[in-house]
Amino acid sequence: MAEEKFDAIIVGGGVAGTIASYLLAREGLEVLLVERGNFAGSKNVSGGRIYSHSLEKIFPNFGQEAPVERKITREKISLMTEESNVTLDFYSDALGKQGSDSYSVLRSVLDQWLAQKAEEAGVQIISGIRVDDLIVRDGKVCGVIAGEDELEANVTILADGVNSLLAQKIGFRGELKPDQVAVGAKEIIELPTEVINDRFNCRNGEGTAWLFAGTPSGGRVGGGFLYTNKSSLSFGIVCTLGDLIKANKSVPQMLEDFKQHPAIEPLLKGGKLIEYSGHLVPEGGLKMVPKLVGDGVLVIGDAAGFCINIGYAVRGMDLAVTSAECAAKAVLAAKEKQDYSESALKVYRTNLDNSYLMQDLDLYKKFPHFLEETPRIFAGYPRMAADMLADMFVVNGQPAKPLMKNMFKHVQRIGIANVMKDGWKGVRAL
Ligand SMILES: Cc1cc2nc3c(=O)[nH]c(=O)nc-3n(C[C@H](O)[C@H](O)[C@H](O)COP(=O)(O)OP(=O)(O)OC[C@H]3O[C@@H](n4cnc5c(N)ncnc54)[C@H](O)[C@@H]3O)c2cc1C
């Protein structure tokens, strides 16, 4: 193997790496994928919902063929305080329509399926080996160093996830900053299919995506999530690292408290914990995107910071797929010209700029900062919503007060000017 030179070496067998390697091998390139976990997906974490538009471009029957859990047809968003939960519940067929469909997935299952597709297309996969460094000659990346082995390639694609030490080693990015990442903790809780259907009001094969702001992350920037799988729930929290430092409890404790919340506990009752994981999430948006292209090297997926969290939608996997596709196209064009220089591979950046990926990152570029500077979203507004609804729904024999007066009282606690300012800034950030 030391003598063999590959067309491309891909580091990391997550969604980005498996797709990039599949697309290149499908066109006849000699491709090696190196994954440090025992198998693709063994170390990977997602809340659990993939927007399938980008995968359906590559596998047109993705929704039917891939080992997905449930098609998401119900969206819920909650503002939670210690003792209350205000929820917006949206069910619509439109959510499940081909092209705008999304699915709950388990990464250990999905990533293995993608790796199998890659292997069938001819990708050589080595798992259980970590890439320690890159071979760099005269400023050009010429392959990877994994343990004793030096493996050479015309192009190396870094798909090694959010904390890409390799991109850092070649100076494409600095160390991650606390405000660029969130810490995620997740449990998979097993429950019978019928119990999930009943508790979440789901038809067979259909599922719910549910996001929470407020107490799950201790009133800090972050939130909770719950996705229904076939016979399990993906349940967890994320909290921005920069804000976690100020929190008065740890992430595991936040998760434990979230599970005990009176609106949540009955939904999990009788469930069996079958998996626990923790992972970082890139949350810095456009500002954390590193240098993406060099001589003989490209950066894709989370390693490139391609993730969008706008409170009501979390997207990393569809961006990982699209970046893999843009990179694969650039490598195929470079192969055609036999030129793997930075200037030849730069078409990757052009492909990204022409796709929704960079346009969406650009659209939402102010949002991470908006969250940081508006702590009321996580502490003040859940309380305001709960108090308003309590005043509306509680009937206790005391003389009723005019509705507007009641509502106004709660808005005043935050301040009308603040509410208007936050609303205006939020709308502009989206
Ligand atoms: C708690 C949480 C909730 C999320 N929720 C969602 C969601 O609901 N929907 C969504 O779309 N996205 C979600 N995301 C984001 C999504 O998981 C990521 O955007 C996605 O996994 C990125 O894929 P990737 O292939 O770039 O990176 P990863 O999936 O992280 O894969 C990187 C791979 O590289 C391997 N690797 C790393 N270093 C090396 C090395 N040196 N040598 C060899 N292999 C290496 C790792 O083992 C891993 O397999 C969530 C993330 C978290 C943490």
Side-chain angles (χ1 to χ4, degrees):
M1 183 160 297
E3 301 305 314
E4 197 174 351
K5 182 170 182 182
F6 294 91
D7 287 310
I9 293 178
I10 286 86
V11 185
V15 175
T18 50
I19 292 291
S21 62
Y22 167 80
L23 291 173
L24 293 174
R26 196 178 67 173
E27 300 305 318
L29 270 63
E30 289 281 320
V31 183
L32 176 73
L33 173 69
V34 188
E35 164 55 44
R36 68 177 171 175
N38 290 335
F39 56 88
S42 61
K43 287 190 174 283
N44 301 343
V45 184
S46 284
R49 174 241 289 261
I50 186 162
Y51 293 93
S52 68
H53 61 97
S54 51
L55 270 172
E56 270 164 10
K57 273 176 75 189
I58 298 164
F59 305 111
N61 289 326
F62 173 76
Q64 293 75 48
E65 204 194 327
V68 295
E69 294 291 313
R70 289 174 186 253
K71 182 186 273 197
I72 301 299
T73 52
R74 186 179 288 277
E75 303 274 357
K76 289 186 170 196
I77 298 190
S78 289
L79 293 177
M80 189 175 250
T81 67
E82 282 82 6
E83 79 300 339
S84 70
N85 195 38
V86 179
T87 301
L88 176 78
D89 183 341
F90 176 54
Y91 176 89
S92 171
D93 277 354
L95 294 169
K97 288 233 168 77
Q98 180 89 19
S100 49
D101 43 345
S102 68
Y103 299 88
S104 53
V105 290
L106 296 169
R107 287 296 299 278
S108 57
V109 180
L110 176 71
D111 290 17
Q112 277 191 82
W113 182 80
L114 293 172
Q116 189 192 330
K117 288 277 174 200
E119 224 162 6
E120 284 164 11
V123 176
Q124 288 186 49
I125 300 183
I126 310 181
S127 45
I129 304 258
R130 192 186 67 208
V131 170
D132 302 310
D133 213 338
L134 298 170
I135 305 169
V136 184
R137 286 190 208 107
D138 300 328
K140 179 185 185 315
V141 173
C142 303
V144 303
I145 302 169
E148 303 285 287
D149 291 324
E150 296 207 356
L151 305 158
E152 303 230 353
N154 290 322
V155 184
T156 303
I157 299 182
L158 307 183
D160 50 339
V162 51
N163 192 19
S164 176
L165 296 177
L166 297 173
Q168 202 178 320
K169 277 189 173 171
I170 53 171
F172 278 27
R173 67 164 181 88
E175 281 197 15
L176 289 175
K177 298 192 185 82
D179 60 342
Q180 290 179 328
V181 283
V183 180
K186 174 183 166 186
E187 293 189 356
I188 298 181
I189 299 167
E190 195 174 58
L191 277 170
T193 304
E194 300 70 38
V195 172
I196 293 176
N197 290 350
D198 287 349
R199 286 185 188 173
F200 293 89
N201 200 6
C202 294
R203 291 190 290 197
N204 257 341
E206 295 189 359
T208 297
W210 197 347
L211 298 174
F212 302 80
T215 45
S217 57
R220 298 282 154 195
V221 180
F225 60 84
L226 191 161
Y227 297 95
T228 54
N229 303 315
K230 274 182 192 146
S231 53
S232 64
L233 304 174
S234 291
F235 180 78
I237 53 159
V238 291
C239 187
T240 302
L241 192 53
D243 225 29
L244 189 57
I245 295 161
K246 299 173 224 152
N248 57 6
K249 54 181 161 179
S250 66
V251 169
Q253 189 57 51
M254 285 179 189
L255 188 57
E256 211 42 52
D257 293 349
F258 186 26
K259 274 160 71 179
Q260 302 307 325
H261 191 280
I264 296 296
E265 193 262 343
L267 299 172
L268 309 184
K269 197 170 175 189
K272 183 177 157 206
L273 175 65
I274 54 172
E275 197 181 300
Y276 187 94
S277 50
H279 208 278
L280 292 178
V281 197
E283 297 227 316
L286 193 61
K287 280 198 190 129
M288 78 177 286
V289 173
K291 180 169 154 69
L292 296 169
V293 187
D295 283 335
V297 66
L298 300 170
V299 189
I300 65 174
D302 268 14
F306 293 151
C307 199
I308 294 173
N309 182 355
I310 44 172
Y312 54 86
V314 181
R315 298 169 56 191
M317 288 185 277
D318 57 329
L319 275 59
V321 173
T322 297
S323 64
E325 192 193 3
C326 292
K329 280 186 185 154
V331 172
L332 291 170
K335 163 109 178 153
E336 191 96 352
K337 289 190 258 167
Q338 284 298 304
D339 178 0
Y340 300 96
S341 65
E342 178 174 344
S343 62
L345 289 171
K346 258 198 172 139
V347 66
Y348 168 46
R349 178 70 207 216
T350 314
N351 295 342
L352 288 170
D353 287 341
N354 291 336
S355 76
Y356 74 86
L357 190 156
M358 279 300 180
Q359 289 163 30
D360 286 4
L361 275 176
D362 187 52
L363 180 69
Y364 300 128
K365 63 176 181 281
K366 292 191 184 134
F367 198 71
H369 182 61
F370 166 68
L371 292 182
E372 273 163 44
E373 63 167 17
T374 320
R376 284 186 284 267
I377 295 175
F378 305 94
Y381 291 118
R383 168 55 54 206
M384 184 180 90
D387 290 348
M388 280 177 159
L389 292 179
D391 273 353
M392 269 174 79
F393 291 111
V394 171
V395 175
N396 57 9
Q398 296 296 314
K401 294 199 182 92
L403 187 67
M404 276 311 283
K405 198 173 167 190
N406 259 343
M407 301 295 111
F408 196 62
K409 176 180 76 190
H410 300 300
V411 176
Q412 262 185 328
R413 213 170 288 147
I414 288 186
I416 294 176
N418 284 334
V419 173
M420 284 169 66
K421 194 173 70 185
D422 294 347
W424 173 241
K425 278 191 184 167
V427 168
R428 279 179 33 134
L430 289 169

